[in-house]
Amino acid sequence: MKTLEHQIEEAARLVAESKRIIVFTGAGVSTESGIPDFRGPEGLWSKYDPEDFTIERFLSDRDVRKKHWQLLTGNEFIVADAKPNPAHYAITALQEMGKLYGIVTQNVDGLHQKAGVLENLVFQLHGDLSHAKCLGCSCRYPIEEVKGWLAGGVDEPECPSCRGMLKPDAVFFGEQLPFEVLMESEQRSRNCDLCIVLGSTLVVYPAATMPLHAIRTGAKLVIINMGPTAMDELATVRIEGKAGEVMPVIVKKAKEKVR
Ligand code: APR
């Protein structure tokens, strides 16, 4: 069994040697910012039924839609004042080192951009919760504006422009992922030389195909997670630990190696 120090040292060497790093993030990278994950011990799916979060239920059941909008006004799915944590900033440091080929994220919290990663290097496979989108005319409205309508007594917001059905702009189970984002994420995962997975169980597809594309085309795989993931046995380096504690140490050591 390799010690944590040895694993961190090995991961730092891989970062130092790499030129095109894809960082694949899941909800575990944002828990230290106060945003709950889904399948961890206190995860959202231990409190809510994921079956209520399918696009089919949303479209067919008005009560499900009303429940969704009520949840969004709470502070679990959207933590309004959430700030990036050291894991996010460590990834931004890879961008400053000229090594970040992209962040492929399942998260909808926008914290990678808030931590200073360039918009064109963040690929949000599951959309994001910053806006709601009209399913009729595709107009988008800032989610805070929609939350204002809900606070004013609206129980199911509709599009002010065409009165169509509004939906939070995150991808629901059973819904197509944004095609261009998916294609670009796949392309970059195939062309990276190192894929670092941070805070994901790697159980949701097609998002979880990205680390597989990377290793199939010869990239190394580093997984940093608290608890098991579905791809632990494929990892070159597997580190059990908190993203906000481990990632900054890896990046700091990598910087010392490239000096
Ligand atoms: N550091 C490292 N790992 C952490 C941390 C942390 N600070 N906090 C939580 N974790 C781990 C959890 O133990 C869990 O193994 O991160 C993992 C998060 O996994 P999930 O909750 O399954 O989240 P994710 O993999 O992003 O889920 C994928 O599923 O519900 C859908 O659309 C939703 O995008 C989401 C997708």
PDB file of all heavy atoms in Angstrom, residues 26-28 31-32 37-41 45 106-107 126 173 199-204 224-228 241-244, ligand 1:
ATOM      1  N   GLY A  26     -16.653  16.501 -10.185  1.00  0.00           N
ATOM      2  CA  GLY A  26     -18.005  16.171  -9.750  1.00  0.00           C
ATOM      3  C   GLY A  26     -18.328  16.956  -8.493  1.00  0.00           C
ATOM      4  O   GLY A  26     -17.550  17.795  -8.044  1.00  0.00           O
ATOM      5  N   ALA A  27     -19.492  16.633  -7.929  1.00  0.00           N
ATOM      6  CA  ALA A  27     -20.011  17.417  -6.798  1.00  0.00           C
ATOM      7  C   ALA A  27     -19.056  17.460  -5.612  1.00  0.00           C
ATOM      8  O   ALA A  27     -19.063  18.391  -4.809  1.00  0.00           O
ATOM      9  CB  ALA A  27     -21.354  16.824  -6.371  1.00  0.00           C
ATOM     10  N   GLY A  28     -18.157  16.460  -5.520  1.00  0.00           N
ATOM     11  CA  GLY A  28     -17.236  16.409  -4.379  1.00  0.00           C
ATOM     12  C   GLY A  28     -16.236  17.551  -4.360  1.00  0.00           C
ATOM     13  O   GLY A  28     -15.659  17.865  -3.322  1.00  0.00           O
ATOM     14  N   THR A  31     -18.165  20.452  -2.236  1.00  0.00           N
ATOM     15  CA  THR A  31     -18.722  20.275  -0.877  1.00  0.00           C
ATOM     16  C   THR A  31     -17.993  21.169   0.126  1.00  0.00           C
ATOM     17  O   THR A  31     -18.597  21.664   1.073  1.00  0.00           O
ATOM     18  CB  THR A  31     -18.613  18.810  -0.395  1.00  0.00           C
ATOM     19  OG1 THR A  31     -17.254  18.382  -0.502  1.00  0.00           O
ATOM     20  CG2 THR A  31     -19.538  17.898  -1.200  1.00  0.00           C
ATOM     21  N   GLU A  32     -16.708  21.433  -0.101  1.00  0.00           N
ATOM     22  CA  GLU A  32     -15.980  22.316   0.827  1.00  0.00           C
ATOM     23  C   GLU A  32     -16.347  23.781   0.609  1.00  0.00           C
ATOM     24  O   GLU A  32     -15.879  24.660   1.320  1.00  0.00           O
ATOM     25  CB  GLU A  32     -14.468  22.085   0.662  1.00  0.00           C
ATOM     26  CG  GLU A  32     -14.038  20.687   1.144  1.00  0.00           C
ATOM     27  CD  GLU A  32     -12.657  20.292   0.666  1.00  0.00           C
ATOM     28  OE1 GLU A  32     -11.662  20.756   1.240  1.00  0.00           O
ATOM     29  OE2 GLU A  32     -12.586  19.512  -0.310  1.00  0.00           O
ATOM     30  N   ASP A  37     -23.153  17.141  -1.990  1.00  0.00           N
ATOM     31  CA  ASP A  37     -23.038  16.252  -3.163  1.00  0.00           C
ATOM     32  C   ASP A  37     -24.301  15.406  -3.241  1.00  0.00           C
ATOM     33  O   ASP A  37     -25.317  15.710  -2.592  1.00  0.00           O
ATOM     34  CB  ASP A  37     -21.748  15.419  -3.067  1.00  0.00           C
ATOM     35  CG  ASP A  37     -21.742  14.490  -1.858  1.00  0.00           C
ATOM     36  OD1 ASP A  37     -22.830  14.247  -1.304  1.00  0.00           O
ATOM     37  OD2 ASP A  37     -20.662  14.035  -1.462  1.00  0.00           O
ATOM     38  N   PHE A  38     -24.264  14.378  -4.093  1.00  0.00           N
ATOM     39  CA  PHE A  38     -25.478  13.595  -4.324  1.00  0.00           C
ATOM     40  C   PHE A  38     -25.424  12.234  -3.632  1.00  0.00           C
ATOM     41  O   PHE A  38     -26.414  11.793  -3.026  1.00  0.00           O
ATOM     42  CB  PHE A  38     -25.662  13.395  -5.847  1.00  0.00           C
ATOM     43  CG  PHE A  38     -25.882  14.690  -6.578  1.00  0.00           C
ATOM     44  CD1 PHE A  38     -24.827  15.356  -7.184  1.00  0.00           C
ATOM     45  CD2 PHE A  38     -27.153  15.256  -6.619  1.00  0.00           C
ATOM     46  CE1 PHE A  38     -25.028  16.566  -7.829  1.00  0.00           C
ATOM     47  CE2 PHE A  38     -27.372  16.465  -7.269  1.00  0.00           C
ATOM     48  CZ  PHE A  38     -26.301  17.126  -7.868  1.00  0.00           C
ATOM     49  N   ARG A  39     -24.254  11.551  -3.740  1.00  0.00           N
ATOM     50  CA  ARG A  39     -24.192  10.161  -3.260  1.00  0.00           C
ATOM     51  C   ARG A  39     -23.249   9.984  -2.064  1.00  0.00           C
ATOM     52  O   ARG A  39     -22.966   8.885  -1.664  1.00  0.00           O
ATOM     53  CB  ARG A  39     -23.767   9.239  -4.425  1.00  0.00           C
ATOM     54  CG  ARG A  39     -24.769   9.265  -5.566  1.00  0.00           C
ATOM     55  CD  ARG A  39     -24.330   8.526  -6.809  1.00  0.00           C
ATOM     56  NE  ARG A  39     -25.305   8.733  -7.884  1.00  0.00           N
ATOM     57  CZ  ARG A  39     -25.334   9.825  -8.660  1.00  0.00           C
ATOM     58  NH1 ARG A  39     -24.437  10.800  -8.492  1.00  0.00           N
ATOM     59  NH2 ARG A  39     -26.261   9.996  -9.602  1.00  0.00           N
ATOM     60  N   GLY A  40     -22.734  11.091  -1.552  1.00  0.00           N
ATOM     61  CA  GLY A  40     -21.912  10.973  -0.346  1.00  0.00           C
ATOM     62  C   GLY A  40     -22.811  10.694   0.855  1.00  0.00           C
ATOM     63  O   GLY A  40     -24.059  10.659   0.710  1.00  0.00           O
ATOM     64  N   PRO A  41     -22.239  10.524   2.033  1.00  0.00           N
ATOM     65  CA  PRO A  41     -23.018  10.159   3.226  1.00  0.00           C
ATOM     66  C   PRO A  41     -24.195  11.110   3.513  1.00  0.00           C
ATOM     67  O   PRO A  41     -25.249  10.680   3.937  1.00  0.00           O
ATOM     68  CB  PRO A  41     -21.976  10.197   4.347  1.00  0.00           C
ATOM     69  CG  PRO A  41     -20.655  10.072   3.685  1.00  0.00           C
ATOM     70  CD  PRO A  41     -20.803  10.638   2.301  1.00  0.00           C
ATOM     71  N   TRP A  45     -29.289  12.763  -2.730  1.00  0.00           N
ATOM     72  CA  TRP A  45     -30.132  11.598  -3.057  1.00  0.00           C
ATOM     73  C   TRP A  45     -30.429  10.734  -1.843  1.00  0.00           C
ATOM     74  O   TRP A  45     -31.152   9.755  -1.928  1.00  0.00           O
ATOM     75  CB  TRP A  45     -29.507  10.769  -4.188  1.00  0.00           C
ATOM     76  CG  TRP A  45     -29.363  11.488  -5.509  1.00  0.00           C
ATOM     77  CD1 TRP A  45     -28.390  11.259  -6.445  1.00  0.00           C
ATOM     78  CD2 TRP A  45     -30.169  12.559  -6.042  1.00  0.00           C
ATOM     79  NE1 TRP A  45     -28.567  12.082  -7.534  1.00  0.00           N
ATOM     80  CE2 TRP A  45     -29.633  12.911  -7.307  1.00  0.00           C
ATOM     81  CE3 TRP A  45     -31.300  13.246  -5.582  1.00  0.00           C
ATOM     82  CZ2 TRP A  45     -30.176  13.911  -8.112  1.00  0.00           C
ATOM     83  CZ3 TRP A  45     -31.839  14.247  -6.384  1.00  0.00           C
ATOM     84  CH2 TRP A  45     -31.288  14.578  -7.630  1.00  0.00           C
ATOM     85  N   GLN A 106     -19.337  18.081 -14.139  1.00  0.00           N
ATOM     86  CA  GLN A 106     -20.738  17.667 -14.013  1.00  0.00           C
ATOM     87  C   GLN A 106     -21.489  18.682 -13.161  1.00  0.00           C
ATOM     88  O   GLN A 106     -22.694  18.584 -12.977  1.00  0.00           O
ATOM     89  CB  GLN A 106     -20.824  16.284 -13.365  1.00  0.00           C
ATOM     90  CG  GLN A 106     -20.066  15.217 -14.130  1.00  0.00           C
ATOM     91  CD  GLN A 106     -19.968  13.926 -13.345  1.00  0.00           C
ATOM     92  OE1 GLN A 106     -20.758  12.998 -13.529  1.00  0.00           O
ATOM     93  NE2 GLN A 106     -19.000  13.880 -12.442  1.00  0.00           N
ATOM     94  N   ASN A 107     -20.761  19.619 -12.578  1.00  0.00           N
ATOM     95  CA  ASN A 107     -21.357  20.553 -11.625  1.00  0.00           C
ATOM     96  C   ASN A 107     -22.068  21.699 -12.343  1.00  0.00           C
ATOM     97  O   ASN A 107     -21.718  22.054 -13.475  1.00  0.00           O
ATOM     98  CB  ASN A 107     -20.271  21.109 -10.688  1.00  0.00           C
ATOM     99  CG  ASN A 107     -19.608  20.006  -9.878  1.00  0.00           C
ATOM    100  OD1 ASN A 107     -20.170  18.914  -9.750  1.00  0.00           O
ATOM    101  ND2 ASN A 107     -18.425  20.259  -9.372  1.00  0.00           N
ATOM    102  N   HIS A 126     -23.524  19.143 -17.657  1.00  0.00           N
ATOM    103  CA  HIS A 126     -24.892  19.100 -17.126  1.00  0.00           C
ATOM    104  C   HIS A 126     -25.501  20.483 -17.034  1.00  0.00           C
ATOM    105  O   HIS A 126     -26.399  20.724 -16.235  1.00  0.00           O
ATOM    106  CB  HIS A 126     -24.894  18.396 -15.747  1.00  0.00           C
ATOM    107  CG  HIS A 126     -24.522  16.945 -15.847  1.00  0.00           C
ATOM    108  ND1 HIS A 126     -24.185  16.174 -14.777  1.00  0.00           N
ATOM    109  CD2 HIS A 126     -24.416  16.130 -16.928  1.00  0.00           C
ATOM    110  CE1 HIS A 126     -23.893  14.941 -15.179  1.00  0.00           C
ATOM    111  NE2 HIS A 126     -24.017  14.890 -16.481  1.00  0.00           N
ATOM    112  N   PHE A 173     -32.149  14.118 -15.512  1.00  0.00           N
ATOM    113  CA  PHE A 173     -31.987  12.719 -15.913  1.00  0.00           C
ATOM    114  C   PHE A 173     -32.884  12.428 -17.115  1.00  0.00           C
ATOM    115  O   PHE A 173     -34.035  12.844 -17.159  1.00  0.00           O
ATOM    116  CB  PHE A 173     -32.386  11.786 -14.757  1.00  0.00           C
ATOM    117  CG  PHE A 173     -31.389  11.749 -13.634  1.00  0.00           C
ATOM    118  CD1 PHE A 173     -31.759  12.123 -12.361  1.00  0.00           C
ATOM    119  CD2 PHE A 173     -30.082  11.353 -13.855  1.00  0.00           C
ATOM    120  CE1 PHE A 173     -30.848  12.110 -11.309  1.00  0.00           C
ATOM    121  CE2 PHE A 173     -29.165  11.309 -12.818  1.00  0.00           C
ATOM    122  CZ  PHE A 173     -29.551  11.707 -11.548  1.00  0.00           C
ATOM    123  N   GLY A 199     -13.551  14.351  -7.012  1.00  0.00           N
ATOM    124  CA  GLY A 199     -14.861  14.400  -6.357  1.00  0.00           C
ATOM    125  C   GLY A 199     -16.032  13.900  -7.172  1.00  0.00           C
ATOM    126  O   GLY A 199     -17.056  14.573  -7.279  1.00  0.00           O
ATOM    127  N   SER A 200     -15.876  12.694  -7.731  1.00  0.00           N
ATOM    128  CA  SER A 200     -17.003  12.115  -8.466  1.00  0.00           C
ATOM    129  C   SER A 200     -17.039  10.601  -8.252  1.00  0.00           C
ATOM    130  O   SER A 200     -16.004   9.952  -8.188  1.00  0.00           O
ATOM    131  CB  SER A 200     -16.878  12.398  -9.976  1.00  0.00           C
ATOM    132  OG  SER A 200     -17.966  11.773 -10.676  1.00  0.00           O
ATOM    133  N   THR A 201     -18.250  10.037  -8.175  1.00  0.00           N
ATOM    134  CA  THR A 201     -18.371   8.569  -8.075  1.00  0.00           C
ATOM    135  C   THR A 201     -18.216   7.917  -9.439  1.00  0.00           C
ATOM    136  O   THR A 201     -18.117   6.706  -9.538  1.00  0.00           O
ATOM    137  CB  THR A 201     -19.763   8.197  -7.501  1.00  0.00           C
ATOM    138  OG1 THR A 201     -20.769   8.958  -8.180  1.00  0.00           O
ATOM    139  CG2 THR A 201     -19.835   8.438  -5.997  1.00  0.00           C
ATOM    140  N   LEU A 202     -18.262   8.721 -10.506  1.00  0.00           N
ATOM    141  CA  LEU A 202     -18.078   8.210 -11.889  1.00  0.00           C
ATOM    142  C   LEU A 202     -19.127   7.152 -12.232  1.00  0.00           C
ATOM    143  O   LEU A 202     -18.819   6.109 -12.829  1.00  0.00           O
ATOM    144  CB  LEU A 202     -16.658   7.652 -12.062  1.00  0.00           C
ATOM    145  CG  LEU A 202     -15.526   8.698 -11.975  1.00  0.00           C
ATOM    146  CD1 LEU A 202     -14.169   8.007 -11.942  1.00  0.00           C
ATOM    147  CD2 LEU A 202     -15.601   9.672 -13.142  1.00  0.00           C
ATOM    148  N   VAL A 203     -20.389   7.399 -11.847  1.00  0.00           N
ATOM    149  CA  VAL A 203     -21.452   6.420 -12.119  1.00  0.00           C
ATOM    150  C   VAL A 203     -22.494   6.925 -13.107  1.00  0.00           C
ATOM    151  O   VAL A 203     -23.400   6.195 -13.497  1.00  0.00           O
ATOM    152  CB  VAL A 203     -22.180   5.985 -10.826  1.00  0.00           C
ATOM    153  CG1 VAL A 203     -21.234   5.249  -9.887  1.00  0.00           C
ATOM    154  CG2 VAL A 203     -22.840   7.160 -10.122  1.00  0.00           C
ATOM    155  N   VAL A 204     -22.392   8.212 -13.499  1.00  0.00           N
ATOM    156  CA  VAL A 204     -23.417   8.782 -14.386  1.00  0.00           C
ATOM    157  C   VAL A 204     -22.841   8.968 -15.789  1.00  0.00           C
ATOM    158  O   VAL A 204     -21.804   9.606 -15.967  1.00  0.00           O
ATOM    159  CB  VAL A 204     -23.945  10.118 -13.814  1.00  0.00           C
ATOM    160  CG1 VAL A 204     -24.853  10.825 -14.813  1.00  0.00           C
ATOM    161  CG2 VAL A 204     -24.694   9.857 -12.511  1.00  0.00           C
ATOM    162  N   ILE A 224      -8.822  11.520  -7.323  1.00  0.00           N
ATOM    163  CA  ILE A 224      -8.786  12.019  -5.942  1.00  0.00           C
ATOM    164  C   ILE A 224     -10.241  12.083  -5.473  1.00  0.00           C
ATOM    165  O   ILE A 224     -11.059  12.811  -6.032  1.00  0.00           O
ATOM    166  CB  ILE A 224      -8.161  13.430  -5.882  1.00  0.00           C
ATOM    167  CG1 ILE A 224      -6.729  13.393  -6.434  1.00  0.00           C
ATOM    168  CG2 ILE A 224      -8.181  13.960  -4.448  1.00  0.00           C
ATOM    169  CD1 ILE A 224      -6.178  14.755  -6.816  1.00  0.00           C
ATOM    170  N   ASN A 225     -10.567  11.282  -4.465  1.00  0.00           N
ATOM    171  CA  ASN A 225     -11.961  11.189  -4.048  1.00  0.00           C
ATOM    172  C   ASN A 225     -12.041  10.701  -2.599  1.00  0.00           C
ATOM    173  O   ASN A 225     -11.163   9.943  -2.148  1.00  0.00           O
ATOM    174  CB  ASN A 225     -12.736  10.234  -4.961  1.00  0.00           C
ATOM    175  CG  ASN A 225     -14.239  10.460  -4.866  1.00  0.00           C
ATOM    176  OD1 ASN A 225     -14.733  11.541  -5.168  1.00  0.00           O
ATOM    177  ND2 ASN A 225     -14.953   9.441  -4.388  1.00  0.00           N
ATOM    178  N   MET A 226     -13.116  11.096  -1.915  1.00  0.00           N
ATOM    179  CA  MET A 226     -13.399  10.502  -0.595  1.00  0.00           C
ATOM    180  C   MET A 226     -14.399   9.382  -0.824  1.00  0.00           C
ATOM    181  O   MET A 226     -15.534   9.650  -1.239  1.00  0.00           O
ATOM    182  CB  MET A 226     -13.972  11.558   0.360  1.00  0.00           C
ATOM    183  CG  MET A 226     -12.931  12.517   0.895  1.00  0.00           C
ATOM    184  SD  MET A 226     -13.696  13.947   1.643  1.00  0.00           S
ATOM    185  CE  MET A 226     -14.485  13.191   3.055  1.00  0.00           C
ATOM    186  N   GLY A 227     -13.976   8.164  -0.673  1.00  0.00           N
ATOM    187  CA  GLY A 227     -14.847   7.019  -0.931  1.00  0.00           C
ATOM    188  C   GLY A 227     -14.571   6.442  -2.314  1.00  0.00           C
ATOM    189  O   GLY A 227     -13.952   7.093  -3.165  1.00  0.00           O
ATOM    190  N   PRO A 228     -15.076   5.237  -2.557  1.00  0.00           N
ATOM    191  CA  PRO A 228     -14.771   4.518  -3.797  1.00  0.00           C
ATOM    192  C   PRO A 228     -15.420   5.189  -5.012  1.00  0.00           C
ATOM    193  O   PRO A 228     -16.442   5.860  -4.894  1.00  0.00           O
ATOM    194  CB  PRO A 228     -15.363   3.128  -3.562  1.00  0.00           C
ATOM    195  CG  PRO A 228     -16.371   3.296  -2.486  1.00  0.00           C
ATOM    196  CD  PRO A 228     -15.923   4.443  -1.639  1.00  0.00           C
ATOM    197  N   GLY A 241      -8.875  11.213  -0.291  1.00  0.00           N
ATOM    198  CA  GLY A 241      -8.674  12.439   0.486  1.00  0.00           C
ATOM    199  C   GLY A 241      -9.605  13.540   0.011  1.00  0.00           C
ATOM    200  O   GLY A 241     -10.349  13.379  -0.960  1.00  0.00           O
ATOM    201  N   LYS A 242      -9.549  14.671   0.744  1.00  0.00           N
ATOM    202  CA  LYS A 242     -10.384  15.820   0.398  1.00  0.00           C
ATOM    203  C   LYS A 242      -9.726  16.614  -0.717  1.00  0.00           C
ATOM    204  O   LYS A 242      -8.543  16.934  -0.645  1.00  0.00           O
ATOM    205  CB  LYS A 242     -10.595  16.714   1.636  1.00  0.00           C
ATOM    206  CG  LYS A 242     -11.429  16.049   2.714  1.00  0.00           C
ATOM    207  CD  LYS A 242     -11.629  16.948   3.924  1.00  0.00           C
ATOM    208  CE  LYS A 242     -12.742  17.934   3.706  1.00  0.00           C
ATOM    209  NZ  LYS A 242     -13.155  18.614   4.966  1.00  0.00           N
ATOM    210  N   ALA A 243     -10.532  16.920  -1.738  1.00  0.00           N
ATOM    211  CA  ALA A 243     -10.012  17.641  -2.906  1.00  0.00           C
ATOM    212  C   ALA A 243      -9.346  18.949  -2.491  1.00  0.00           C
ATOM    213  O   ALA A 243      -8.267  19.300  -2.982  1.00  0.00           O
ATOM    214  CB  ALA A 243     -11.167  17.915  -3.874  1.00  0.00           C
ATOM    215  N   GLY A 244      -9.985  19.666  -1.544  1.00  0.00           N
ATOM    216  CA  GLY A 244      -9.473  20.978  -1.135  1.00  0.00           C
ATOM    217  C   GLY A 244      -8.177  20.889  -0.347  1.00  0.00           C
ATOM    218  O   GLY A 244      -7.480  21.888  -0.168  1.00  0.00           O
TER     219      GLY A 244
HETATM  220  N1  APR B   1     -13.152  15.775  -1.550  1.00  0.00           N
HETATM  221  C1  APR B   1     -13.131  14.621  -2.277  1.00  0.00           C
HETATM  222  N2  APR B   1     -14.224  13.858  -2.508  1.00  0.00           N
HETATM  223  C2  APR B   1     -15.387  14.297  -1.965  1.00  0.00           C
HETATM  224  C3  APR B   1     -15.494  15.479  -1.200  1.00  0.00           C
HETATM  225  C4  APR B   1     -14.301  16.223  -0.991  1.00  0.00           C
HETATM  226  N3  APR B   1     -14.292  17.359  -0.282  1.00  0.00           N
HETATM  227  N4  APR B   1     -16.791  15.629  -0.806  1.00  0.00           N
HETATM  228  C5  APR B   1     -17.469  14.576  -1.327  1.00  0.00           C
HETATM  229  N5  APR B   1     -16.627  13.783  -2.012  1.00  0.00           N
HETATM  230  C6  APR B   1     -16.946  12.571  -2.775  1.00  0.00           C
HETATM  231  C7  APR B   1     -18.165  11.821  -2.292  1.00  0.00           C
HETATM  232  O1  APR B   1     -17.808  10.918  -1.259  1.00  0.00           O
HETATM  233  C8  APR B   1     -18.586  11.090  -3.580  1.00  0.00           C
HETATM  234  O2  APR B   1     -17.846   9.885  -3.712  1.00  0.00           O
HETATM  235  O3  APR B   1     -17.298  13.019  -4.083  1.00  0.00           O
HETATM  236  C9  APR B   1     -18.160  12.060  -4.692  1.00  0.00           C
HETATM  237  C10 APR B   1     -19.334  12.801  -5.299  1.00  0.00           C
HETATM  238  O4  APR B   1     -20.078  11.856  -6.031  1.00  0.00           O
HETATM  239  P1  APR B   1     -21.603  12.153  -6.403  1.00  0.00           P
HETATM  240  O5  APR B   1     -22.307  12.699  -5.223  1.00  0.00           O
HETATM  241  O6  APR B   1     -22.126  10.917  -7.074  1.00  0.00           O
HETATM  242  O7  APR B   1     -21.522  13.347  -7.443  1.00  0.00           O
HETATM  243  P2  APR B   1     -21.193  13.263  -8.989  1.00  0.00           P
HETATM  244  O8  APR B   1     -20.245  12.157  -9.281  1.00  0.00           O
HETATM  245  O9  APR B   1     -20.811  14.627  -9.397  1.00  0.00           O
HETATM  246  O10 APR B   1     -22.635  12.907  -9.627  1.00  0.00           O
HETATM  247  C11 APR B   1     -22.751  12.934 -11.023  1.00  0.00           C
HETATM  248  O11 APR B   1     -25.145  12.628 -10.802  1.00  0.00           O
HETATM  249  O12 APR B   1     -27.034  13.222  -9.670  1.00  0.00           O
HETATM  250  C12 APR B   1     -26.349  13.409 -10.845  1.00  0.00           C
HETATM  251  O13 APR B   1     -26.412  15.249 -12.273  1.00  0.00           O
HETATM  252  C13 APR B   1     -25.970  14.847 -11.013  1.00  0.00           C
HETATM  253  O14 APR B   1     -23.916  15.777 -11.864  1.00  0.00           O
HETATM  254  C14 APR B   1     -24.452  14.825 -10.965  1.00  0.00           C
HETATM  255  C15 APR B   1     -24.133  13.414 -11.402  1.00  0.00           C
END
